[in-house]
Amino acid sequence: MKGCKGRVLAMLYLPVIFSVILLSCASDISHDHSGHNMMLSEDGMVMNNNAHRLPFGCDVISKQYEFVVSAGRRYAADNPGAVFGMSQHDYRVEACSRISVVFSNEDEVRHQWMVHGLPKYLYPGGMFHLEAMAGKTIQGTFIVPAGDQTYLVHCDMAQHMEKGMKGQLVVGNGSGNLWNVYNTSDTFLKSEYLPAHTSRWVLLFAVIAFILTYGLLRR
Amino acid sequence: MSRRQYLLVALILVVVAFPPGWYPLALRLEISRWFGAAAYLALPVSKPVETVGAEIYCPPDLAGWRSAFEIDGVNVSPSKTCLSDNPYSVATFVRGANNVSDDTLLKSGLAADAVTKGEDLDGDGDPDVIHIRLEVVELNGSSAESAEPVTQYEIAPGITPGLWVFAPKYLGMARENFESRKARSGLRPPSPVIRVEQGDRVVITLENTHYMPHTIHLHGADHGFVTATGQGNDGVPLTSELPLMPGKARSYELTPRQTGTMFYHCHVQPHVHVSMGLQGMFVIEENQPNNWLQTLNVGAGFVRSSSVAIAKKYDQEYDLHYTDLDLQLGQRVQSSNDPRLVTRSMHRDYDVTDATADYFLLNGKSFPYTFRESLIVTEPDEKIKLRVLNGGSKGISFHIHGHKFNLTHKDGVGVVPENQAAQDVIWLPTAQRVDLDLSTRNDGLHSYGAGIWLFHDHQNKGTTTDGIGPGGNISAVVYQEYMGLDGWPKTQGVSYEKFFSAEYYRKIIPVWQSYAPVLFSDPGTDWLMFGRILLLALAAGMSGAVLVSGSK
Ligand SMILES: [Cu+2]
Ligand SMILES: [Cu+2]
């Protein structure tokens, strides 16, 4: 059958695809969090808590930080175009420091405070993840690696990062600002905020410029 | 050169370049009578066939979700299609997240309060106090950092329209993982089928995780206008309550006295919100002893754990939810990241009275993806219960090849036996539900025997994806002997390669190219003609300049 061609190809590629899918979906396909160190409670979830294991290149804990962060609609009030927000979006710490986050959710829906891009040998999936149920507070600790690096901090519920819940964790001197962090960095793709009928005004100004120039040249 | 010389050059260019085909026919005939026909000039040859990157028809079932399971005392039927629901979620929906083991809950990915089940009010061995939590999820939405949609969900290869759904309350990320843009499994249209028992005390809490206001309106399901505490319970922002704002939660309550296949949807700006996907099937089952129901059926389709009454009468049960989408509406959530602009675009600039549907979905997918998960797989002599809901903006003309079905219920209410004659087309206007009995007994009436028999909306549009066919809501009834082990039907001599390529549905490759590459490929380009037209343009430019330069 002709229809088999795709399947024959599929069989050839299967081993490759298997491993790719396994690698990329390990955290989800059976929703297998076995690799993650996950603590569930009525208040929410802490994933990959790490108070003691030092990343490579760190001999000691350089410093101790505690961030008390609130999340909710309220914290987007001063951020035009945002719907959700956090009480702090920009976090700056020393390399090899230990960070405790106390995350309080003031809304009636879930919110998350997660860091991405951490070393996977310490943090499966490269993430540290706090998730607080409506009105709850959740707390967790992690240790940042050596080296200057800026990490993404966000809420990964659909559209929450896009609509305001985006922050950054700058370790050491960082590696530059991320785009679109409230009160810290600019928006990357800007929507249109022009008045109505802008094109007519543009046309009018072009015509005026033409007439004036023409007049000047003819004199 | 002088003006006259310029004009002369332009004139010569016109004479040389003017395509003969543009002369009036009479003049051409006259010329050919004098000089004979022009010399042979072949039409451009067909373009070479481009190879397209086809997806795997049937992705391997790595997690083994298709098999039969017994999880925490729940028997989860095997799923014969190539993609299937997470059996741990199914078990959690049956027992309640508060009654399953930690391991099951973890594997289900659900929050501990996603669906909870309490007291057995009538002492018949099953819980009657049911609490369901739904969130609102935007799929294929915008972001401030990329032109690509985020929390991606493809309804067909390469097709990612903006969508909103009510979703079960999962824990964790909305994406598969940090490296992926794809939505995690379970976040998908249609909004999940809700299944409760007659007389259950049901609470549905809407947790509005979206950036726009929404409500839940229970269409056809017996519910009070207000709750016991006097809070609005009808979900209609004109009469019973304000729209539920982002970040807020509200509970709706019902104790349905009648059974049947019903409907629920958002009632905030419903002409937009219902079309965006905030709609689901709502099923009320007969009260029976030991009736543990699968409270949510994610993505609708095959019910892996049927109610007692259905299991007695039928071999299988399917929830078939038809919807359509307007491409131009879905684009509006993608065109801006600012909720103020999106709101204006969707609720003021968008005019639904000028709208047309472009995508036609069965259970949240269009063909060929319907073949991965929405096939009805059967043996001969089975009795199958179909619950069909039309949530689309227009009627659908539901039709099954090779079978005649009987209409047993309309809008949840039983049809008297005299009116249950066998038929092969049934019309469902918007929001209508019908329950159908499908028999696979080969008697020349109910079934013509084993095979792969399509079922689809018989209106022409419904079988396309933005005008490209085959697409839309086409799916099939497949008899087991025509079903491959991997869950892919043994179609006769047909290649699905092109249907599984984004190029096909993005209108890039010719529909019959793979059957007869030279005959039905795109023709090549007539570069000679193109050159002539450019020369004409030069001539026009020269003449224009001569005219404008005026008398000098
Ligand atoms: Cu959030
Ligand atoms: Cu709505």
Side-chain angles (χ1 to χ4, degrees):
Chain A
M1 279 202 301
K2 274 190 171 174
C4 285
K5 199 181 157 202
R7 267 196 267 172
V8 170
L9 276 176
M11 297 306 284
L12 287 173
Y13 287 126
L14 271 186
V16 182
I17 285 149
F18 261 59
S19 44
V20 169
I21 293 176
L22 272 174
L23 283 173
S24 64
C25 301
S27 64
D28 193 78
I29 211 142
S30 58
H31 220 75
D32 170 23
H33 288 289
S34 48
H36 298 300
N37 162 17
M38 201 159 133
M39 289 186 288
L40 286 168
S41 72
E42 270 186 11
D43 296 345
M45 164 169 78
V46 185
M47 199 189 277
N48 299 337
N49 195 73
N50 171 33
H52 301 294
R53 289 169 63 203
L54 289 171
F56 297 142
C58 297
D59 299 329
V60 284
I61 303 274
S62 63
K63 204 168 171 185
Q64 175 88 28
Y65 294 88
E66 187 180 77
F67 294 114
V68 178
V69 188
S70 296
R73 282 282 311 283
R74 191 149 81 83
Y75 301 99
D78 299 331
N79 185 5
V83 178
F84 302 105
M86 298 183 275
S87 55
Q88 184 176 349
H89 295 81
D90 192 29
Y91 306 86
R92 294 180 186 253
V93 299
E94 273 181 28
C96 300
S97 58
R98 181 195 281 145
I99 297 158
S100 288
V101 180
V102 180
F103 182 57
S104 296
N105 178 357
E106 297 182 11
D107 276 343
E108 296 173 5
V109 302
R110 285 185 297 142
H111 283 302
Q112 301 160 351
W113 191 97
M114 37 198 322
V115 181
H116 284 285
L118 296 170
K120 292 187 178 174
Y121 59 86
L122 274 184
Y123 304 93
M127 62 179 165
F128 169 76
H129 179 161
L130 296 177
E131 182 156 344
M133 298 304 228
K136 302 290 186 185
T137 297
I138 203 112
Q139 184 170 358
T141 302
F142 65 108
I143 299 167
V144 295
D148 297 334
Q149 179 79 36
T150 306
Y151 297 89
L152 172 67
V153 173
H154 73 147
C155 173
D156 198 78
M157 293 176 65
Q159 288 292 320
H160 282 210
M161 172 169 79
E162 290 73 13
K163 304 298 185 269
M165 295 189 77
K166 180 174 181 185
Q168 65 180 12
L169 173 67
V170 180
V171 175
N173 295 319
S175 48
N177 282 337
L178 302 180
W179 285 99
N180 211 34
V181 176
Y182 174 53
N183 253 346
T184 305
S185 59
D186 195 13
T187 296
F188 186 62
L189 290 174
K190 275 219 172 79
S191 315
E192 293 286 325
Y193 295 93
L194 296 170
H197 311 307
T198 295
S199 54
R200 289 184 205 172
W201 287 100
V202 169
L203 199 67
L204 183 67
F205 271 60
V207 168
I208 291 171
F210 178 83
I211 292 169
L212 290 179
T213 315
Y214 191 75
L216 282 174
L217 288 176
R218 291 282 289 211
R219 258 200 312 182
Chain B
M1 281 204 294
S2 69
R3 291 181 62 211
R4 199 166 298 169
Q5 282 169 316
Y6 271 116
L7 219 49
L8 189 69
V9 173
L11 196 68
I12 291 169
L13 278 180
V14 169
V15 170
V16 172
F18 198 85
W22 291 6
Y23 289 122
L25 188 59
L27 185 59
R28 292 199 73 191
L29 287 173
E30 202 57 39
I31 293 171
S32 62
R33 190 178 307 161
W34 286 35
F35 300 105
Y40 173 73
L41 194 60
L43 295 179
V45 295
S46 296
K47 279 187 185 167
V49 176
E50 289 167 48
T51 45
V52 290
E55 299 169 16
I56 305 170
Y57 306 168
C58 181
D61 181 28
L62 296 177
W65 285 355
R66 297 174 62 221
S67 340
F69 280 85
E70 207 214 298
I71 302 166
D72 288 338
V74 179
N75 286 311
V76 181
S77 310
S79 172
K80 287 163 186 157
T81 48
C82 98
L83 296 184
S84 60
D85 290 341
N86 177 344
Y88 298 94
S89 309
V90 172
T92 305
F93 293 138
V94 173
R95 302 297 293 187
N98 55 329
N99 297 323
V100 291
S101 66
D102 290 349
D103 182 54
T104 301
L105 188 60
L106 209 63
K107 286 176 175 163
S108 77
L110 291 159
D113 58 357
V115 171
T116 55
K117 302 200 173 184
E119 236 182 302
D120 180 2
L121 297 173
D122 54 8
D124 68 348
D126 58 64
D128 303 310
V129 178
I130 313 290
H131 195 159
I132 302 161
R133 286 171 199 272
L134 296 177
E135 297 183 333
V136 182
V137 171
E138 179 168 308
L139 299 167
N140 302 320
S142 76
S143 95
E145 280 134 75
S146 158
E148 280 260 298
V150 293
T151 325
Q152 275 178 13
Y153 176 88
E154 287 178 301
I155 60 163
I159 307 293
T160 50
L163 279 163
W164 296 342
V165 291
F166 294 114
K169 188 174 179 183
Y170 291 101
L171 276 188
M173 300 175 70
R175 289 174 289 167
E176 288 179 325
N177 56 69
F178 184 58
E179 279 80 25
S180 167
R181 285 173 179 277
K182 289 204 164 118
R184 56 157 298 144
S185 79
L187 300 186
R188 55 165 297 169
S191 305
V193 178
I194 299 178
R195 237 183 194 75
V196 299
E197 197 185 29
Q198 194 180 10
D200 274 357
R201 203 184 287 164
V202 184
V203 177
I204 303 169
T205 301
L206 174 60
E207 300 189 349
N208 189 4
T209 49
H210 192 234
Y211 57 82
M212 281 197 200
H214 304 290
T215 61
I216 289 178
H217 170 68
L218 297 160
H219 175 136
D222 170 31
H223 65 281
F225 183 70
V226 290
T227 63
T229 59
Q231 182 219 284
N233 197 41
D234 195 32
V236 179
L238 300 177
T239 51
S240 66
E241 65 202 72
L242 286 175
L244 181 67
M245 290 295 133
K248 296 287 178 190
R250 182 178 294 157
S251 293
Y252 297 92
E253 300 173 7
L254 74 161
T255 304
R257 290 162 289 184
Q258 307 290 337
T259 60
T261 309
M262 309 303 180
F263 187 21
Y264 72 98
H265 57 82
C266 174
H267 218 297
V268 178
Q269 299 282 322
H271 59 285
V272 171
H273 291 210
V274 180
S275 307
M276 284 296 289
L278 292 175
Q279 50 164 299
M281 192 185 277
F282 193 98
V283 178
I284 303 156
E285 301 271 7
E286 247 174 68
N287 191 5
Q288 293 273 340
N290 291 311
N291 201 14
W292 290 76
L293 300 183
Q294 186 186 326
T295 307
L296 299 180
N297 185 10
V298 172
F302 178 51
V303 184
R304 288 185 82 172
S305 183
S306 275
S307 71
V308 169
I310 297 299
K312 261 187 219 162
K313 271 190 252 170
Y314 298 93
D315 297 295
Q316 297 190 67
E317 178 185 17
Y318 290 84
D319 300 330
L320 306 179
H321 184 163
Y322 287 86
T323 50
D324 56 40
L325 294 172
D326 178 2
L327 165 63
Q328 283 78 19
L329 177 58
Q331 279 171 347
R332 286 168 189 266
V333 295
Q334 299 169 340
S335 60
S336 169
N337 190 47
D338 187 328
R340 299 167 300 180
L341 293 174
V342 177
T343 303
R344 180 172 77 192
S345 171
M346 299 187 85
H347 303 96
R348 286 194 283 157
D349 300 344
Y350 179 69
D351 182 350
V352 71
T353 65
D354 296 334
T356 49
D358 301 291
Y359 301 127
F360 301 87
L361 286 72
L362 165 60
N363 295 343
K365 298 276 188 190
S366 290
F367 178 87
Y369 286 170
T370 48
F371 267 45
R372 284 180 176 170
E373 52 179 78
S374 280
L375 299 174
I376 294 174
V377 184
T378 181
E379 298 279 3
D381 297 313
E382 280 196 17
K383 217 179 160 197
I384 301 169
K385 168 105 175 161
L386 304 180
R387 298 180 187 268
V388 190
L389 157 65
N390 177 19
S393 59
K394 305 252 165 54
I396 61 163
S397 179
F398 178 85
H399 168 59
I400 307 189
H401 294 198
H403 296 81
K404 281 192 167 55
F405 47 77
N406 297 75
L407 170 69
T408 62
H409 296 76
K410 205 167 176 179
D411 296 338
V413 180
V415 173
V416 290
E418 305 86 77
N419 292 342
Q420 293 190 8
Q423 57 194 113
D424 59 35
V425 172
I426 188 164
W427 178 251
L428 278 82
T430 299
Q432 184 142 75
R433 289 87 59 208
V434 294
D435 292 16
L436 306 175
D437 275 7
L438 177 68
S439 161
T440 56
R441 188 155 53 92
N442 182 2
D443 58 5
L445 174 69
H446 296 95
S447 164
Y448 312 161
I452 304 172
W453 305 99
L454 295 187
F455 66 96
H456 56 88
D457 173 9
H458 211 289
Q459 297 185 102
N460 294 333
K461 286 182 188 177
T463 58
T464 74
T465 296
D466 195 21
I468 293 291
N473 54 37
I474 297 172
S475 188
V477 176
V478 183
Y479 284 65
Q480 193 61 60
E481 64 171 284
Y482 284 91
M483 198 66 180
L485 279 177
D486 57 351
W488 192 255
K490 299 174 186 166
T491 50
Q492 300 263 74
V494 182
S495 167
Y496 271 66
E497 213 161 304
K498 63 186 175 192
F499 305 140
F500 275 100
S501 62
E503 290 87 347
Y504 188 78
Y505 290 101
R506 288 177 179 166
K507 313 184 180 191
I508 295 166
I509 54 174
V511 294
W512 292 330
Q513 175 172 268
S514 57
Y515 306 149
V518 175
L519 180 55
F520 290 122
S521 294
D522 280 333
T525 308
D526 188 345
W527 292 109
L528 184 62
M529 185 68 159
F530 183 64
R532 286 187 128 146
I533 291 169
L534 290 187
L535 284 181
L536 280 181
L538 283 179
M542 287 169 75
S543 320
V546 169
L547 290 175
V548 170
S549 66
S551 49
K552 208 174 129 189

